[in-house]
């Protein structure tokens, strides 16, 4: 069966103004999200994962940053050029996002119930208040919150971190979006709650055929939850593959570096990206060629001069590297 592509991001370039000049936080990133699948996006802190997600939501901080190039095709429309009013209709209703820190998404001065109902009011204004309330309570129950009626009356600060995360998931899923973007949704939580939240996202995703972009720096989370993976390095994509291929046949020296110090993914669900010798280059001072050249064990002259183009090395498997053979 051919997979249906629900979101097709291509040639994405994002710039930031900084005190030292303009930097390109994301450089020519492409990826496709398949219907009903989970795409993992992994890479060290600062490699451009969140910024990529925010660009799809059209929530990049203004005026310091902007999309300077590229497209994100959703339902035959380019999200990046949509009038902002059309984007309001898509955001939340068709594409929603959950953040690492729920307090950024929750309003501290309104009860959970009020915030949930507001979502239905925005997107399903034809419902009566009672119908909205019933739908909201049901959704809160669905994300595994005990005593939903009671929680609806509470304020965000009265809930634990795990409960707040669940509330944010309930809010993100209230409109049954086609796409959920989950940016490090469990990083701030303890391991047990983490596993619960991930399995919750997965079970809701399976039931509704939703597509998910799961952003994480935790390769264990990728291995256990994703169908496809994109590995980012310093604003570019280093490697992409289906999840089993990536862990069985990692090809890019960066991916290999990330994986070698992990003893066993199966036994070790909570594996943080290990450190690779050296540092990610500053965006202000990027090498002319491959961005990984300064840390790469295979580096040759060409790597210092020419940016490696992504090339296919197998079914649905690509790398951006001059040196590695297929
Ligand atoms: N508010 C900002 N101002 C300036 N630069 C920023 C800002 N936010 C992000 N960046 C730049 O974008 C890069 C990518 O950031 P981000 O997407 O948040 O990384 P990740 O989510 O992968 O940890 C950062 O390394 C930084 O250089
Ligand atoms: Mg981030």
């Amino acid at each position: 069966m051919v997979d249906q592509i629900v979101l097709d991001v291509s040639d994405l370039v994002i710039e930031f103004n900084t005190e030292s000049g303009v930097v390109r936080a994301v450089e020519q990133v492409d990826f496709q999200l398949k219907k009903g699948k989970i795409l993992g996006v992994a890479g060290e802190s600062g490699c451009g994962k969140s910024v990529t997600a925010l660009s799809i939501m059209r929530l990049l901080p203004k005026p310091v940053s902007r999309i300077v190039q590229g497209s994100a095709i959703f339902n035959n429309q380019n999200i990046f050029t949509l009038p902002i009013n059309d984007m309001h209709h898509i955001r939340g209703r068709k594409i929603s996002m959950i953040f690492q820190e729920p307090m950024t998404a929750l309003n501290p001065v309104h009860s959970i119930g009020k915030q949930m109902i507001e979502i239905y009011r925005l997107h399903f204004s034809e419902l009566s208040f009672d119908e909205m309330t019933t739908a909201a309570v049901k959704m809160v129950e669905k994300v595994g919150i005990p005593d939903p009626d009671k929680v609806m009356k509470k304020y965000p600060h009265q809930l634990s971190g795990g409960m707040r995360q669940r509330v944010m998931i309930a809010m993100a899923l209230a409109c049954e979006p086609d796409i959920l973007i989950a940016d490090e949704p469990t990083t701030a939580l303890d391991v047990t709650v983490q596993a619960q939240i991930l399995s919750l996202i997965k079970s809701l995703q399976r039931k509704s055929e939703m597509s998910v972009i799961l952003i994480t720096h935790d390769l264990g989370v990728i291995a256990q939850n994703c169908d496809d993976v994109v590995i980012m390095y310093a604003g570019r994509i280093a490697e992409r593959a289906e999840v089993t291929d990536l862990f069985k046949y990692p090809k890019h020296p960066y991916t290999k570096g990330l994986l070698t110090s992990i003893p066993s993914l199966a036994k070790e669900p909570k594996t943080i990206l290990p450190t690779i010798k050296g540092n990610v280059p500053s965006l202000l001072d990027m090498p002319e060629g491959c961005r990984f050249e300064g840390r790469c064990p295979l580096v040759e002259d060409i790597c210092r001069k020419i940016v490696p183009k992504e090339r296919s090395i197998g079914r649905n498997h690509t790398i951006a590297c001059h040196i590695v053979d297929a």
Side-chain angles (χ1 to χ4, degrees), residues 47-270:
C47 72
K49 305 181 296 294
S50 295
V51 161
T52 301
L54 290 172
S55 75
I56 295 166
M57 297 297 284
R58 296 271 299 271
L59 289 175
L60 280 175
K62 275 186 187 156
V64 294
S65 61
R66 69 212 144 263
I67 298 164
V68 289
Q69 196 174 299
S71 58
I73 307 296
F74 171 73
N75 282 343
N76 300 316
Q77 290 175 304
N78 181 2
I79 288 179
F80 295 159
T81 54
L82 277 183
I84 207 70
N85 276 340
D86 296 355
M87 197 58 213
H88 286 149
H89 182 70
I90 287 182
R91 205 185 289 146
R93 177 80 183 86
K94 303 277 184 197
I95 308 180
S96 22
M97 180 158 170
I98 53 183
F99 301 84
Q100 179 171 344
E101 177 38 67
M103 287 312 266
T104 52
L106 298 175
N107 188 330
V109 303
H110 293 310
S111 68
I112 303 302
K114 185 163 179 180
Q115 297 185 57
M116 285 291 295
I117 288 164
E118 187 55 27
I119 294 172
Y120 291 95
R121 204 198 303 277
L122 269 176
H123 296 291
F124 300 104
S125 51
E126 71 282 5
L127 296 181
S128 70
F129 183 77
D130 283 351
E131 285 169 327
M132 289 181 193
T133 310
T134 310
V137 172
K138 243 193 187 155
M139 194 64 229
V140 169
E141 202 166 15
K142 232 182 178 173
V143 297
I145 293 179
D147 242 336
D149 286 306
K150 224 166 146 190
V151 168
M152 295 283 277
K153 295 195 185 80
K154 296 211 163 157
Y155 289 81
H157 72 268
Q158 295 174 306
L159 302 174
S160 68
M163 283 299 147
R164 280 203 287 259
Q165 200 70 10
R166 279 167 204 258
V167 167
M168 191 170 48
I169 294 172
M171 285 170 63
L173 298 180
C175 298
E176 299 179 357
D178 298 333
I179 299 174
L180 175 71
I181 304 177
D183 188 2
E184 314 247 11
T186 58
T187 305
L189 304 173
D190 72 55
V191 182
T192 331
V193 183
Q194 232 185 61
Q196 283 171 4
I197 301 266
L198 287 169
S199 75
L200 169 71
I201 292 175
K202 219 170 159 171
S203 83
L204 295 170
Q205 175 261 338
R206 282 211 194 105
K207 274 183 214 149
S208 62
E209 279 253 285
M210 182 171 71
S211 309
V212 177
I213 299 177
L214 179 58
I215 297 174
T216 175
H217 60 278
D218 186 332
L219 288 174
V221 165
I222 299 269
Q224 286 173 350
N225 296 285
C226 297
D227 299 291
D228 299 290
V229 195
V230 165
I231 303 283
M232 287 183 72
Y233 183 79
R236 283 184 180 270
I237 290 180
E239 181 161 11
R240 81 180 75 220
E242 289 177 9
V243 76
T244 39
D245 289 339
L246 189 101
F247 287 96
K248 254 192 188 156
Y249 314 110
K251 291 285 185 183
H252 196 286
Y254 178 59
T255 315
K256 283 190 168 171
L258 292 178
L259 288 170
T260 41
S261 44
I262 302 175
S264 158
L265 281 166
K267 285 191 215 125
E268 198 99 28
K270 177 85 184 66

